[in-house]
Amino acid sequence: MKSKRKLMIKIFLLIYVNLLFLELVFKLSITGFKMEYTQRIIVFTLAYALILLMIFRFIPRRIFKVFSITSVVLITFFYFAQDMYYRILSGFFSFDMASDAHKAIAFLSRVLENLTWIHALYLVPIIVGVLLMKDFNKKDFPKRYFFYNSYFEFFELLLIAFLMFMTVVHTIPKETEYYTNSPYVYTEYDFYREVPSAYQTINKFGLITYFQRDVVNKFSDESDYMSLYNEIVEYGETRVNHTSNIYTGYFEGKNLIMIMAESFDTFAIDPSLTPNIYHRLLPNSWYFDQFYAPLYYRNTADTEFMSQTGLYTDRTTTLTMEQYKDNYFPYTLPRLFNQDAYGTYAFHNYTDYFYPRSSFLPDTLGYDEYYDAIDFEMMEYREGVITRHDWQSDVDLIDQTMDVLSEKVEPFFSYILTVSGHLPYSDNHPIAEKNIDIIRQIFEEEGREIPSEDFLYYHAANYELDLAIGHLLDRLEEEGLADDTVVMLFGDHYAYGIDEEDIVDYDETKESDEYWRLQRVPMIIYHPNIIPKVKGEIFSSIDIMPTIANLFELDLDYRYIFGKDIFSNQRRNVFFSNGSMFTDEFYYDIEDEESIFYQEGISEEYIIQLVGEYIYRQKINQYILEIDYFRVRETLE
């Protein structure tokens, strides 16, 4: 009996010390230490260690060592994977997203680039676990199970774990010192219970608690659809609808070709490396130098969803366009243009391997037709896990797109998603490899300092995009469509296939101490008769749809989307995946819990309230997706 108790204490200490060590390493790597939060994490971890001990005591002794070591490896990998996910995509994956992990193979090179000395510490629990398990002999265990002598012993341990857990939960503050009467200020307890910001939940309560709340919220019963519906309606009624401005209807009746370019970053634009964009597009364009494409949870797909719907994506699911493909979205770009008798067509030079666009774009968003690389006979369908992706030519995409559009009756709205600029930036990229000698020659002939290989291959990949833009402009002129067509070009996200520090060194407009600057990408609106201008409106991907609706005077109820027409007099801002916010007035850095003020008279209380309001907006946005609000509304009306 005494030896059994001693063994139980050893195993408990092993579990607890390993869990706490992983929490502290994760904080060191990602969120940093704050003693008030660390103390809470210590107690939470005690409760989780007791729960794991309860589970371990049911394991047969013949597999106990294997089970223990396997558990340590899996738990450690979970911490490491979340660490890498945040470093690469500035977010944390949810329980649902784990099922899509095999597709991360495409980003293996980014994992290797983000490894630091801190990550070696993740090996410590595995090493310690293996060494300590060697000291445990089978004879120390009961014959069959490391079991309980009685039900009382089991419930005693369960009660201790429960009381410890509930004690720390009930000590979480449920009030805030700021704007106590405001519905838009989240308390510490709100961040625990609702997880409105994964970063803040992890920072305040630890990674295991985030996982625990994610699972609990996932399986909690949200069956009262009418109460959620009414909350959405009430929120919409408080919002001011759109009013006309000087840009309303600016391009009314014209065709629109909207191009979302893969990894198109600010440093891609260059007089010699992208001559068509620089010398042909920009001289007749509005260039938006404060456009941001924040990385949320599924990068390209999330930017695509937000720019087409004016809604935020769901951070708790694997893929928003898959999860909500059966929802009804009346306010999408193709449906708004369809209402004005436009033909709507979407094009992409890859397959459905990552995202189900062949169903989502026509069926969910409402495009009349969709063509991908298989439809254009660029590629054949491939099954299974793909480790090397044959990215296709943007020039070929534009050529076949124009073949389709030239046969259509005007007016038309065309959405083109390019892929030539995709990572990896190496000789493993077929398009970049094709153009690399041209890029090297340009640098050498102009006597420019030759950058590292990844930048050379990045420029080689985007050289194909530039050729495609030149080809597009030529085809529009040949088809007699140039004067009646607006071309919009923007990046889906920054070039995260290159190390952040290297980007900052290479592009002087991206400052190392300003996280949000990294996610600023080009946005260009071109028409041959536009007077060129650099526009400084702050906005992001979610604002594209309502801005286009205003420019083309499309019939949109702006109250039930969450993007804003950037030419309206509404406050403009960018809300990043970790909860940080950038506006004309301030930048709120959630990681350091600090603010940078750009205008006088802005208080910390005002910022906390505004950030809380945007968290609440995302909550309403989430309800809209979960209950299929627009379909319910149509049914009730």
Side-chain angles (χ1 to χ4, degrees), residues 345-378:
Y345 315 99
F347 307 89
H348 180 41
N349 48 342
Y350 204 62
T351 68
D352 276 9
Y353 178 76
F354 289 105
Y355 313 119
R357 293 190 175 96
S358 60
S359 60
F360 181 75
L361 290 173
D363 300 336
T364 308
L365 295 187
Y367 280 96
D368 294 332
E369 297 173 18
Y370 170 64
Y371 301 83
D372 67 5
I374 295 176
D375 297 315
F376 283 148
E377 298 183 349
M378 296 178 178

mmCIF file of all heavy atoms in Angstrom, residues 345-378:
data_model
loop_
_atom_site.group_PDB
_atom_site.id
_atom_site.type_symbol
_atom_site.label_atom_id
_atom_site.label_comp_id
_atom_site.label_asym_id
_atom_site.label_seq_id
_atom_site.Cartn_x
_atom_site.Cartn_y
_atom_site.Cartn_z
ATOM 1 N N TYR A 345 -18.102 35.229 -63.213
ATOM 2 C CA TYR A 345 -17.249 34.101 -63.561
ATOM 3 C C TYR A 345 -16.007 34.085 -62.671
ATOM 4 O O TYR A 345 -15.407 35.138 -62.420
ATOM 5 C CB TYR A 345 -16.840 34.189 -65.040
ATOM 6 C CG TYR A 345 -17.991 34.533 -65.944
ATOM 7 C CD1 TYR A 345 -18.185 35.841 -66.394
ATOM 8 C CD2 TYR A 345 -18.929 33.569 -66.316
ATOM 9 C CE1 TYR A 345 -19.261 36.183 -67.203
ATOM 10 C CE2 TYR A 345 -20.015 33.890 -67.126
ATOM 11 C CZ TYR A 345 -20.173 35.203 -67.560
ATOM 12 O OH TYR A 345 -21.248 35.533 -68.352
ATOM 13 N N ALA A 346 -15.628 32.917 -62.210
ATOM 14 C CA ALA A 346 -14.459 32.767 -61.340
ATOM 15 C C ALA A 346 -13.457 31.814 -61.984
ATOM 16 O O ALA A 346 -13.841 30.823 -62.621
ATOM 17 C CB ALA A 346 -14.880 32.249 -59.970
ATOM 18 N N PHE A 347 -12.165 32.108 -61.774
ATOM 19 C CA PHE A 347 -11.088 31.344 -62.420
ATOM 20 C C PHE A 347 -9.934 31.132 -61.433
ATOM 21 O O PHE A 347 -9.598 32.019 -60.645
ATOM 22 C CB PHE A 347 -10.564 32.094 -63.647
ATOM 23 C CG PHE A 347 -11.629 32.496 -64.632
ATOM 24 C CD1 PHE A 347 -12.280 33.720 -64.514
ATOM 25 C CD2 PHE A 347 -11.993 31.651 -65.674
ATOM 26 C CE1 PHE A 347 -13.263 34.096 -65.416
ATOM 27 C CE2 PHE A 347 -12.976 32.023 -66.581
ATOM 28 C CZ PHE A 347 -13.615 33.253 -66.448
ATOM 29 N N HIS A 348 -9.311 29.950 -61.540
ATOM 30 C CA HIS A 348 -8.177 29.636 -60.661
ATOM 31 C C HIS A 348 -7.293 28.601 -61.352
ATOM 32 O O HIS A 348 -7.813 27.692 -62.019
ATOM 33 C CB HIS A 348 -8.688 29.068 -59.337
ATOM 34 C CG HIS A 348 -7.627 28.718 -58.349
ATOM 35 N ND1 HIS A 348 -6.514 29.493 -58.130
ATOM 36 C CD2 HIS A 348 -7.509 27.642 -57.507
ATOM 37 C CE1 HIS A 348 -5.768 28.930 -57.188
ATOM 38 N NE2 HIS A 348 -6.348 27.803 -56.810
ATOM 39 N N ASN A 349 -5.973 28.745 -61.214
ATOM 40 C CA ASN A 349 -5.063 27.823 -61.893
ATOM 41 C C ASN A 349 -4.490 26.762 -60.957
ATOM 42 O O ASN A 349 -3.312 26.438 -61.000
ATOM 43 C CB ASN A 349 -3.940 28.559 -62.631
ATOM 44 C CG ASN A 349 -3.249 29.616 -61.781
ATOM 45 O OD1 ASN A 349 -3.771 30.065 -60.769
ATOM 46 N ND2 ASN A 349 -2.064 30.032 -62.211
ATOM 47 N N TYR A 350 -5.365 26.233 -60.077
ATOM 48 C CA TYR A 350 -4.996 25.055 -59.302
ATOM 49 C C TYR A 350 -6.254 24.227 -59.074
ATOM 50 O O TYR A 350 -7.303 24.496 -59.668
ATOM 51 C CB TYR A 350 -4.314 25.435 -57.976
ATOM 52 C CG TYR A 350 -3.432 24.316 -57.467
ATOM 53 C CD1 TYR A 350 -2.337 23.880 -58.213
ATOM 54 C CD2 TYR A 350 -3.713 23.668 -56.271
ATOM 55 C CE1 TYR A 350 -1.542 22.833 -57.773
ATOM 56 C CE2 TYR A 350 -2.919 22.619 -55.815
ATOM 57 C CZ TYR A 350 -1.838 22.206 -56.580
ATOM 58 O OH TYR A 350 -1.060 21.161 -56.155
ATOM 59 N N THR A 351 -6.157 23.233 -58.207
ATOM 60 C CA THR A 351 -7.251 22.279 -58.002
ATOM 61 C C THR A 351 -7.927 22.522 -56.648
ATOM 62 O O THR A 351 -7.632 23.475 -55.949
ATOM 63 C CB THR A 351 -6.718 20.834 -58.044
ATOM 64 O OG1 THR A 351 -5.896 20.621 -56.882
ATOM 65 C CG2 THR A 351 -5.889 20.604 -59.298
ATOM 66 N N ASP A 352 -8.789 21.585 -56.282
ATOM 67 C CA ASP A 352 -9.492 21.653 -54.994
ATOM 68 C C ASP A 352 -8.717 20.975 -53.860
ATOM 69 O O ASP A 352 -9.293 20.679 -52.811
ATOM 70 C CB ASP A 352 -10.864 20.962 -55.117
ATOM 71 C CG ASP A 352 -11.917 21.897 -55.686
ATOM 72 O OD1 ASP A 352 -11.566 22.993 -56.128
ATOM 73 O OD2 ASP A 352 -13.100 21.511 -55.683
ATOM 74 N N TYR A 353 -7.430 20.729 -54.039
ATOM 75 C CA TYR A 353 -6.680 19.971 -53.033
ATOM 76 C C TYR A 353 -6.760 20.639 -51.661
ATOM 77 O O TYR A 353 -6.986 19.969 -50.643
ATOM 78 C CB TYR A 353 -5.218 19.828 -53.450
ATOM 79 C CG TYR A 353 -4.390 19.088 -52.419
ATOM 80 C CD1 TYR A 353 -4.485 17.706 -52.297
ATOM 81 C CD2 TYR A 353 -3.544 19.770 -51.551
ATOM 82 C CE1 TYR A 353 -3.742 17.013 -51.344
ATOM 83 C CE2 TYR A 353 -2.798 19.085 -50.597
ATOM 84 C CZ TYR A 353 -2.900 17.713 -50.495
ATOM 85 O OH TYR A 353 -2.172 17.047 -49.547
ATOM 86 N N PHE A 354 -6.562 21.943 -51.598
ATOM 87 C CA PHE A 354 -6.599 22.646 -50.329
ATOM 88 C C PHE A 354 -8.015 23.113 -49.972
ATOM 89 O O PHE A 354 -8.429 23.025 -48.828
ATOM 90 C CB PHE A 354 -5.672 23.870 -50.359
ATOM 91 C CG PHE A 354 -4.211 23.519 -50.363
ATOM 92 C CD1 PHE A 354 -3.467 23.629 -51.518
ATOM 93 C CD2 PHE A 354 -3.591 23.066 -49.214
ATOM 94 C CE1 PHE A 354 -2.118 23.305 -51.530
ATOM 95 C CE2 PHE A 354 -2.241 22.744 -49.200
ATOM 96 C CZ PHE A 354 -1.500 22.862 -50.372
ATOM 97 N N TYR A 355 -8.740 23.608 -50.955
ATOM 98 C CA TYR A 355 -10.033 24.228 -50.687
ATOM 99 C C TYR A 355 -11.060 23.796 -51.740
ATOM 100 O O TYR A 355 -10.730 23.712 -52.928
ATOM 101 C CB TYR A 355 -9.911 25.754 -50.700
ATOM 102 C CG TYR A 355 -8.739 26.277 -49.908
ATOM 103 C CD1 TYR A 355 -7.715 27.007 -50.513
ATOM 104 C CD2 TYR A 355 -8.650 26.028 -48.536
ATOM 105 C CE1 TYR A 355 -6.637 27.484 -49.773
ATOM 106 C CE2 TYR A 355 -7.582 26.497 -47.795
ATOM 107 C CZ TYR A 355 -6.575 27.226 -48.418
ATOM 108 O OH TYR A 355 -5.518 27.676 -47.685
ATOM 109 N N PRO A 356 -12.324 23.564 -51.328
ATOM 110 C CA PRO A 356 -13.347 23.051 -52.260
ATOM 111 C C PRO A 356 -13.994 24.158 -53.095
ATOM 112 O O PRO A 356 -15.205 24.385 -53.038
ATOM 113 C CB PRO A 356 -14.359 22.410 -51.308
ATOM 114 C CG PRO A 356 -14.279 23.268 -50.075
ATOM 115 C CD PRO A 356 -12.838 23.661 -49.946
ATOM 116 N N ARG A 357 -13.197 24.827 -53.901
ATOM 117 C CA ARG A 357 -13.726 25.979 -54.657
ATOM 118 C C ARG A 357 -14.712 25.568 -55.753
ATOM 119 O O ARG A 357 -15.591 26.369 -56.103
ATOM 120 C CB ARG A 357 -12.565 26.763 -55.273
ATOM 121 C CG ARG A 357 -11.679 27.449 -54.244
ATOM 122 C CD ARG A 357 -10.690 28.409 -54.901
ATOM 123 N NE ARG A 357 -9.958 29.128 -53.878
ATOM 124 C CZ ARG A 357 -8.760 28.786 -53.419
ATOM 125 N NH1 ARG A 357 -8.166 27.691 -53.882
ATOM 126 N NH2 ARG A 357 -8.155 29.502 -52.499
ATOM 127 N N SER A 358 -14.569 24.388 -56.292
ATOM 128 C CA SER A 358 -15.446 23.999 -57.405
ATOM 129 C C SER A 358 -16.908 23.915 -56.977
ATOM 130 O O SER A 358 -17.810 24.005 -57.808
ATOM 131 C CB SER A 358 -15.001 22.662 -57.997
ATOM 132 O OG SER A 358 -15.047 21.646 -57.015
ATOM 133 N N SER A 359 -17.152 23.755 -55.679
ATOM 134 C CA SER A 359 -18.529 23.806 -55.178
ATOM 135 C C SER A 359 -18.811 25.124 -54.465
ATOM 136 O O SER A 359 -19.892 25.701 -54.608
ATOM 137 C CB SER A 359 -18.812 22.634 -54.232
ATOM 138 O OG SER A 359 -17.940 22.666 -53.119
ATOM 139 N N PHE A 360 -17.848 25.618 -53.714
ATOM 140 C CA PHE A 360 -18.084 26.814 -52.913
ATOM 141 C C PHE A 360 -18.319 28.057 -53.773
ATOM 142 O O PHE A 360 -19.257 28.837 -53.505
ATOM 143 C CB PHE A 360 -16.897 27.057 -51.977
ATOM 144 C CG PHE A 360 -17.056 28.268 -51.090
ATOM 145 C CD1 PHE A 360 -17.907 28.232 -49.989
ATOM 146 C CD2 PHE A 360 -16.380 29.445 -51.361
ATOM 147 C CE1 PHE A 360 -18.071 29.341 -49.181
ATOM 148 C CE2 PHE A 360 -16.524 30.557 -50.553
ATOM 149 C CZ PHE A 360 -17.375 30.509 -49.461
ATOM 150 N N LEU A 361 -17.505 28.268 -54.792
ATOM 151 C CA LEU A 361 -17.631 29.492 -55.584
ATOM 152 C C LEU A 361 -18.946 29.552 -56.372
ATOM 153 O O LEU A 361 -19.661 30.555 -56.289
ATOM 154 C CB LEU A 361 -16.419 29.657 -56.501
ATOM 155 C CG LEU A 361 -15.106 29.995 -55.778
ATOM 156 C CD1 LEU A 361 -13.927 29.966 -56.742
ATOM 157 C CD2 LEU A 361 -15.189 31.353 -55.099
ATOM 158 N N PRO A 362 -19.317 28.510 -57.103
ATOM 159 C CA PRO A 362 -20.599 28.600 -57.819
ATOM 160 C C PRO A 362 -21.824 28.356 -56.945
ATOM 161 O O PRO A 362 -22.831 29.066 -57.067
ATOM 162 C CB PRO A 362 -20.476 27.538 -58.909
ATOM 163 C CG PRO A 362 -19.515 26.546 -58.372
ATOM 164 C CD PRO A 362 -18.548 27.308 -57.516
ATOM 165 N N ASP A 363 -21.770 27.361 -56.074
ATOM 166 C CA ASP A 363 -22.970 26.960 -55.322
ATOM 167 C C ASP A 363 -23.222 27.860 -54.109
ATOM 168 O O ASP A 363 -24.366 28.250 -53.855
ATOM 169 C CB ASP A 363 -22.856 25.509 -54.856
ATOM 170 C CG ASP A 363 -22.701 24.538 -56.010
ATOM 171 O OD1 ASP A 363 -23.124 24.888 -57.122
ATOM 172 O OD2 ASP A 363 -22.141 23.447 -55.804
ATOM 173 N N THR A 364 -22.190 28.160 -53.349
ATOM 174 C CA THR A 364 -22.374 28.946 -52.121
ATOM 175 C C THR A 364 -22.345 30.441 -52.392
ATOM 176 O O THR A 364 -23.216 31.176 -51.930
ATOM 177 C CB THR A 364 -21.290 28.581 -51.086
ATOM 178 O OG1 THR A 364 -21.255 27.168 -50.907
ATOM 179 C CG2 THR A 364 -21.576 29.257 -49.747
ATOM 180 N N LEU A 365 -21.329 30.886 -53.135
ATOM 181 C CA LEU A 365 -21.216 32.325 -53.396
ATOM 182 C C LEU A 365 -22.095 32.775 -54.557
ATOM 183 O O LEU A 365 -22.501 33.937 -54.596
ATOM 184 C CB LEU A 365 -19.756 32.703 -53.669
ATOM 185 C CG LEU A 365 -18.782 32.516 -52.507
ATOM 186 C CD1 LEU A 365 -17.417 33.091 -52.882
ATOM 187 C CD2 LEU A 365 -19.294 33.178 -51.230
ATOM 188 N N GLY A 366 -22.359 31.895 -55.517
ATOM 189 C CA GLY A 366 -23.299 32.232 -56.575
ATOM 190 C C GLY A 366 -22.692 32.638 -57.901
ATOM 191 O O GLY A 366 -23.372 33.273 -58.720
ATOM 192 N N TYR A 367 -21.440 32.265 -58.172
ATOM 193 C CA TYR A 367 -20.869 32.557 -59.501
ATOM 194 C C TYR A 367 -21.589 31.737 -60.564
ATOM 195 O O TYR A 367 -21.926 30.559 -60.344
ATOM 196 C CB TYR A 367 -19.375 32.230 -59.523
ATOM 197 C CG TYR A 367 -18.515 33.309 -58.896
ATOM 198 C CD1 TYR A 367 -18.114 33.214 -57.565
ATOM 199 C CD2 TYR A 367 -18.134 34.425 -59.633
ATOM 200 C CE1 TYR A 367 -17.344 34.211 -56.983
ATOM 201 C CE2 TYR A 367 -17.362 35.419 -59.056
ATOM 202 C CZ TYR A 367 -16.973 35.314 -57.738
ATOM 203 O OH TYR A 367 -16.218 36.312 -57.167
ATOM 204 N N ASP A 368 -21.789 32.351 -61.708
ATOM 205 C CA ASP A 368 -22.461 31.650 -62.804
ATOM 206 C C ASP A 368 -21.620 30.474 -63.292
ATOM 207 O O ASP A 368 -22.157 29.399 -63.592
ATOM 208 C CB ASP A 368 -22.717 32.606 -63.971
ATOM 209 C CG ASP A 368 -23.719 33.691 -63.616
ATOM 210 O OD1 ASP A 368 -24.579 33.435 -62.748
ATOM 211 O OD2 ASP A 368 -23.636 34.797 -64.182
ATOM 212 N N GLU A 369 -20.301 30.686 -63.358
ATOM 213 C CA GLU A 369 -19.413 29.630 -63.842
ATOM 214 C C GLU A 369 -18.089 29.707 -63.082
ATOM 215 O O GLU A 369 -17.647 30.784 -62.682
ATOM 216 C CB GLU A 369 -19.152 29.772 -65.355
ATOM 217 C CG GLU A 369 -20.392 29.636 -66.216
ATOM 218 C CD GLU A 369 -20.115 29.950 -67.686
ATOM 219 O OE1 GLU A 369 -18.933 29.933 -68.092
ATOM 220 O OE2 GLU A 369 -21.083 30.231 -68.424
ATOM 221 N N TYR A 370 -17.461 28.538 -62.914
ATOM 222 C CA TYR A 370 -16.146 28.477 -62.282
ATOM 223 C C TYR A 370 -15.257 27.528 -63.066
ATOM 224 O O TYR A 370 -15.678 26.430 -63.440
ATOM 225 C CB TYR A 370 -16.256 27.994 -60.828
ATOM 226 C CG TYR A 370 -14.907 27.689 -60.202
ATOM 227 C CD1 TYR A 370 -13.958 28.687 -60.012
ATOM 228 C CD2 TYR A 370 -14.578 26.388 -59.821
ATOM 229 C CE1 TYR A 370 -12.721 28.403 -59.457
ATOM 230 C CE2 TYR A 370 -13.345 26.096 -59.244
ATOM 231 C CZ TYR A 370 -12.416 27.110 -59.068
ATOM 232 O OH TYR A 370 -11.186 26.835 -58.521
ATOM 233 N N TYR A 371 -14.027 27.965 -63.318
ATOM 234 C CA TYR A 371 -13.054 27.174 -64.058
ATOM 235 C C TYR A 371 -11.774 27.071 -63.235
ATOM 236 O O TYR A 371 -11.250 28.078 -62.760
ATOM 237 C CB TYR A 371 -12.710 27.839 -65.395
ATOM 238 C CG TYR A 371 -13.894 28.061 -66.313
ATOM 239 C CD1 TYR A 371 -14.716 29.171 -66.162
ATOM 240 C CD2 TYR A 371 -14.181 27.160 -67.349
ATOM 241 C CE1 TYR A 371 -15.801 29.387 -67.009
ATOM 242 C CE2 TYR A 371 -15.265 27.367 -68.206
ATOM 243 C CZ TYR A 371 -16.074 28.484 -68.018
ATOM 244 O OH TYR A 371 -17.139 28.693 -68.858
ATOM 245 N N ASP A 372 -11.251 25.827 -63.098
ATOM 246 C CA ASP A 372 -9.981 25.664 -62.403
ATOM 247 C C ASP A 372 -8.964 25.006 -63.327
ATOM 248 O O ASP A 372 -9.200 24.856 -64.537
ATOM 249 C CB ASP A 372 -10.154 24.901 -61.099
ATOM 250 C CG ASP A 372 -10.567 23.445 -61.292
ATOM 251 O OD1 ASP A 372 -10.625 22.977 -62.451
ATOM 252 O OD2 ASP A 372 -10.826 22.771 -60.285
ATOM 253 N N ALA A 373 -7.821 24.597 -62.753
ATOM 254 C CA ALA A 373 -6.740 24.050 -63.575
ATOM 255 C C ALA A 373 -7.141 22.766 -64.287
ATOM 256 O O ALA A 373 -6.634 22.462 -65.380
ATOM 257 C CB ALA A 373 -5.511 23.802 -62.700
ATOM 258 N N ILE A 374 -8.055 22.003 -63.695
ATOM 259 C CA ILE A 374 -8.516 20.771 -64.343
ATOM 260 C C ILE A 374 -9.441 21.103 -65.505
ATOM 261 O O ILE A 374 -9.345 20.505 -66.590
ATOM 262 C CB ILE A 374 -9.209 19.855 -63.312
ATOM 263 C CG1 ILE A 374 -8.189 19.384 -62.262
ATOM 264 C CG2 ILE A 374 -9.861 18.659 -64.002
ATOM 265 C CD1 ILE A 374 -8.770 18.557 -61.150
ATOM 266 N N ASP A 375 -10.329 22.073 -65.298
ATOM 267 C CA ASP A 375 -11.226 22.488 -66.382
ATOM 268 C C ASP A 375 -10.442 23.020 -67.581
ATOM 269 O O ASP A 375 -10.825 22.797 -68.739
ATOM 270 C CB ASP A 375 -12.191 23.566 -65.890
ATOM 271 C CG ASP A 375 -13.111 23.068 -64.790
ATOM 272 O OD1 ASP A 375 -13.639 21.959 -64.931
ATOM 273 O OD2 ASP A 375 -13.280 23.783 -63.785
ATOM 274 N N PHE A 376 -9.349 23.724 -67.287
ATOM 275 C CA PHE A 376 -8.528 24.301 -68.354
ATOM 276 C C PHE A 376 -7.470 23.322 -68.871
ATOM 277 O O PHE A 376 -6.607 23.691 -69.678
ATOM 278 C CB PHE A 376 -7.832 25.573 -67.852
ATOM 279 C CG PHE A 376 -8.732 26.777 -67.786
ATOM 280 C CD1 PHE A 376 -8.526 27.749 -66.819
ATOM 281 C CD2 PHE A 376 -9.756 26.954 -68.698
ATOM 282 C CE1 PHE A 376 -9.337 28.875 -66.753
ATOM 283 C CE2 PHE A 376 -10.572 28.087 -68.647
ATOM 284 C CZ PHE A 376 -10.367 29.043 -67.670
ATOM 285 N N GLU A 377 -7.514 22.071 -68.384
ATOM 286 C CA GLU A 377 -6.588 21.009 -68.783
ATOM 287 C C GLU A 377 -5.135 21.379 -68.528
ATOM 288 O O GLU A 377 -4.229 20.956 -69.249
ATOM 289 C CB GLU A 377 -6.803 20.643 -70.252
ATOM 290 C CG GLU A 377 -8.203 20.101 -70.517
ATOM 291 C CD GLU A 377 -8.404 19.664 -71.954
ATOM 292 O OE1 GLU A 377 -7.536 19.979 -72.800
ATOM 293 O OE2 GLU A 377 -9.424 19.012 -72.239
ATOM 294 N N MET A 378 -4.903 22.177 -67.465
ATOM 295 C CA MET A 378 -3.538 22.465 -67.030
ATOM 296 C C MET A 378 -2.988 21.308 -66.195
ATOM 297 O O MET A 378 -1.783 21.046 -66.189
ATOM 298 C CB MET A 378 -3.509 23.735 -66.172
ATOM 299 C CG MET A 378 -3.908 25.014 -66.867
ATOM 300 S SD MET A 378 -3.874 26.387 -65.677
ATOM 301 C CE MET A 378 -4.311 27.762 -66.740
#
